[in-house]
Amino acid sequence: MPTDLGVFPNSKGLLAGSLKFNIKHDQHIDCSKSRGTKIPDDIGSISHIESRARFILVVEKETAFRKLLDEDIFNKLGPCILITGRGFPDLNTRHMLKMLWVKLEIPVLALVDCDPHGIEIMLVYRFGSLSQSQFGEILAVPSMKWLGVQPRDVINLQIPSIPLTIEEKRNLEAMCERQYLKANPQLLYEIRRMVESSSKAEIESLYNFSPSYLTNVYLPNKIHSNEFF
């Protein structure tokens, strides 16, 4: 890790929810009292972690992260922690997630777009980055589960979708050849289902049902029925 050399990369990720901790100089951080707390640059300085969270929800996009906060997600899902890397996660966001997973020993769920980019982001959190393989085991959270948006949702719920490009289909087909996916048949099946359907959808596509469908219906149903893998 860069921090082992005394180099602390700037974080871009955000936290919210049932989480309190101290950082250097005894500064106390309460993530329940903000619209998004910036992840500290020096993860190693974090101490005295407190949380009542039942799970961690990793959200691909900042817009979806803000939407969940605007709609009072913690009252609807109970105590939890939200994390967003604002797109493709930086090392600090991944390090923070890994630390919380180890310390709190609670489930980690991923909410990403149902497209190749969203799936790649979920896989980076879960198995590590192909371009930064030296940090794979250090930062990976292998127990992370794909909550949504899943290809089966696009089909079963008839979520508005658009066609995959030829390049996106090729990227998905290449993704299916990775050994960690071959070892996870449910994940592999869903990704192949996307290739076969040749369609993709964003988190925002759920808003077509109603502006609050994501928080009032989709997420509660997914969590209560354990529809993730």
Side-chain angles (χ1 to χ4, degrees):
M1 288 290 296
T3 52
D4 294 337
L5 303 175
V7 178
F8 304 108
N10 292 327
S11 297
K12 67 171 184 172
L14 300 173
L15 293 159
S18 177
L19 179 64
K20 300 176 183 179
F21 56 86
N22 290 346
I23 54 177
K24 54 188 175 182
H25 309 306
D26 294 324
Q27 182 181 354
H28 186 67
I29 305 296
D30 186 349
C31 298
S32 69
K33 296 183 178 180
S34 78
R35 300 290 300 159
T37 300
K38 182 176 175 289
I39 292 174
D41 294 336
D42 182 5
I43 303 298
S45 71
I46 294 175
S47 62
H48 299 95
I49 298 172
E50 299 177 30
S51 177
R52 296 185 299 108
R54 295 186 291 111
F55 61 89
I56 300 169
L57 181 61
V58 179
V59 185
E60 174 188 350
K61 298 175 173 177
E62 183 179 1
T63 52
F65 178 89
R66 300 288 184 194
K67 173 79 169 176
L68 296 179
L69 293 179
D70 288 343
E71 298 196 357
D72 202 13
I73 192 64
F74 304 117
N75 278 334
K76 295 173 182 178
L77 298 184
C80 60
I81 298 169
L82 296 187
I83 295 182
T84 180
R86 296 162 136 179
F88 202 88
D90 58 5
L91 291 176
N92 267 25
T93 301
R94 292 169 59 197
H95 192 184
M96 185 76 191
L97 178 64
K98 177 63 176 282
M99 184 194 66
L100 290 176
W101 174 61
V102 170
K103 296 285 188 183
L104 300 178
E105 299 182 325
I106 55 177
V108 178
L109 309 175
L111 176 65
V112 299
D113 284 339
C114 186
D115 64 15
H117 185 66
I119 293 174
E120 188 67 68
I121 287 173
M122 185 265 297
L123 294 178
V124 166
Y125 280 113
R126 187 164 175 172
F127 300 108
S129 170
L130 295 179
S131 63
Q132 296 171 327
S133 58
Q134 70 271 33
F135 300 134
E137 292 186 7
I138 300 173
L139 299 179
V141 180
S143 71
M144 170 185 267
K145 302 300 181 183
W146 186 7
L147 173 71
V149 176
Q150 301 163 353
R152 67 177 64 188
D153 298 330
V154 177
I155 297 169
N156 295 340
L157 300 177
Q158 297 185 333
I159 298 172
S161 62
I162 60 176
L164 291 168
T165 65
I166 293 175
E167 182 180 1
E168 286 175 328
K169 290 188 74 170
R170 286 174 180 164
N171 289 342
L172 288 173
E173 288 166 350
M175 191 182 291
C176 290
E177 296 303 313
R178 298 178 190 175
Q179 289 303 312
Y180 59 67
L181 281 178
K182 290 182 178 181
N184 288 268
Q186 283 185 303
L187 277 177
L188 185 59
Y189 176 78
E190 282 298 307
I191 294 173
R192 284 179 171 162
R193 178 181 270 190
M194 183 186 291
V195 175
E196 291 169 2
S197 69
S198 193
S199 60
K200 61 183 179 180
E202 296 185 324
I203 297 169
E204 291 84 352
S205 300
L206 294 166
Y207 306 159
N208 283 272
F209 298 120
S210 77
S212 59
Y213 184 85
L214 173 64
T215 49
N216 287 350
V217 180
Y218 183 80
L219 289 178
N221 286 349
K222 281 280 187 176
I223 291 171
H224 294 153
S225 60
N226 290 324
E227 287 190 24
F228 37 79
F229 42 82

